[in-house]
Amino acid sequence: DAKTTQPNSMESNEEEPVHLPCNHSTISGTDYIHWYRQLPSQGPEYVIHGLTSNVNNRMASLAIAEDRKSSTLILHRATLRDAAVYYCILRDLAGGTSYGKLTFGQGTILTVHP
Amino acid sequence: EAQVTQNPRYLITVTGKKLTVTCSQNMNHEYMSWYRQDPGLGLRQIYYSMNVEVTDKGDVPEGYKVSRKEKRNFPLILESPSPNQTSLYFCASSSIEGASRSPLHFGNGTRLTVT
């Protein structure tokens, strides 16, 4: 199953944009890129996902490289409530083995300074 | 309200005493999975189930069992718990049909301590 690589930690100031990178050099053609975040003392929650095109929702934007070997989660204006661990994973929605077996890794710890 | 419910939230037990952590979802999801979270190791998948009576191993299945007799329930069974299974456990579910099949929904976690 394809793996992802993320920086261990990143810092940002409140009200500033945050770009969280994820490398997935062994991504397959049917792998979707998913992002989740885990707030302190909570279970992970879904943020956004995409296949090839950039995606926007109320929480964030997802920018996907043309070769799909990397992606970036963009928080346009970080708030203190965005301080969390962010996970990038791959899910094969064509029904391949990586649909069921998921590897989250350690994620990126985002610290937001007031 | 759509949710994944884990019970109990906290559990302290002794080595060797069989226990079950329950997971139930009310979204009619086909896919369910269990994870453990330990400091410095992130989320690691224990087992997953693609549908009723279909289960498979994740990355760290040793010492755990699961069953999927009904679509909504996916219990995690520790037949003989050991201290190295002290951890925070999460259950998750998702649909596998159509455009809405991708997001994982997580429970609030079960903190297990084995002494």
Side-chain angles (χ1 to χ4, degrees), chain A residues 1 34 36 38 41-46 49 87 89 91 93-97 99-106, chain B residues 9 31 35 37 40-43 45 48 50 57-59 88 90 94-96 99 101-104 106-108:
Chain A
D1 49 328
H34 285 242
Y36 291 81
Q38 187 175 19
S41 303
Q42 294 187 27
E45 63 176 350
Y46 167 78
H49 77 280
Y87 297 97
I89 67 168
R91 293 200 85 183
L93 287 175
T97 56
Y99 181 84
K101 193 159 188 267
L102 300 178
T103 302
F104 273 78
Q106 296 188 50
Chain B
R9 289 295 307 277
Y31 177 85
Y35 304 83
Q37 186 170 40
L41 296 176
L43 278 164
Q45 191 182 50
Y48 64 94
M50 298 297 285
K57 297 177 180 178
D59 290 323
L88 179 58
F90 289 100
S94 73
S95 173
I96 58 172
R101 63 184 182 178
S102 50
L104 283 166
F106 283 83
N108 285 325

Side-chain angles (χ1 to χ4, degrees), chain A residues 29-43:
Chain A
T30 51
D31 278 333
Y32 276 70
I33 302 157
H34 285 242
W35 283 83
Y36 291 81
R37 73 178 186 180
Q38 187 175 19
L39 302 171
S41 303
Q42 294 187 27

Side-chain angles (χ1 to χ4, degrees), chain A residues 12-69:
Chain A
S12 172
N13 295 317
E14 207 173 6
E15 304 291 318
E16 291 184 355
V18 180
H19 290 232
L20 297 165
C22 181
N23 289 319
H24 26 79
S25 57
T26 59
I27 191 170
S28 74
T30 51
D31 278 333
Y32 276 70
I33 302 157
H34 285 242
W35 283 83
Y36 291 81
R37 73 178 186 180
Q38 187 175 19
L39 302 171
S41 303
Q42 294 187 27
E45 63 176 350
Y46 167 78
V47 177
I48 200 167
H49 77 280
L51 183 63
T52 56
S53 304
N54 295 344
V55 184
N56 300 297
N57 66 20
R58 63 175 181 82
M59 292 179 72
S61 295
L62 177 59
I64 301 172
E66 197 169 332
D67 63 5
R68 300 206 330 122
K69 293 186 177 183

Side-chain angles (χ1 to χ4, degrees), chain B residues 63-74:
Chain B
Y64 304 94
K65 286 176 56 178
V66 292
S67 69
R68 189 85 184 275
K69 293 183 169 55
E70 307 166 280
K71 200 171 187 180
R72 65 181 294 126
N73 296 322
F74 190 45

Side-chain angles (χ1 to χ4, degrees), chain B residues 28-111:
Chain B
N28 201 37
H29 285 166
E30 296 83 2
Y31 177 85
M32 298 185 75
S33 57
W34 276 103
Y35 304 83
R36 62 177 290 173
Q37 186 170 40
D38 303 289
L41 296 176
L43 278 164
R44 293 181 293 167
Q45 191 182 50
I46 303 170
Y47 269 95
Y48 64 94
S49 170
M50 298 297 285
N51 214 322
V52 176
E53 301 292 359
V54 181
T55 63
D56 211 340
K57 297 177 180 178
D59 290 323
V60 288
E62 296 79 19
Y64 304 94
K65 286 176 56 178
V66 292
S67 69
R68 189 85 184 275
K69 293 183 169 55
E70 307 166 280
K71 200 171 187 180
R72 65 181 294 126
N73 296 322
F74 190 45
L76 179 69
I77 303 157
L78 285 72
E79 295 269 4
S80 183
S82 62
N84 65 12
Q85 292 177 299
T86 293
S87 186
L88 179 58
Y89 292 86
F90 289 100
C91 179
S93 73
S94 73
S95 173
I96 58 172
E97 296 297 326
S100 63
R101 63 184 182 178
S102 50
L104 283 166
H105 298 256
F106 283 83
N108 285 325
T110 296
R111 186 166 293 281

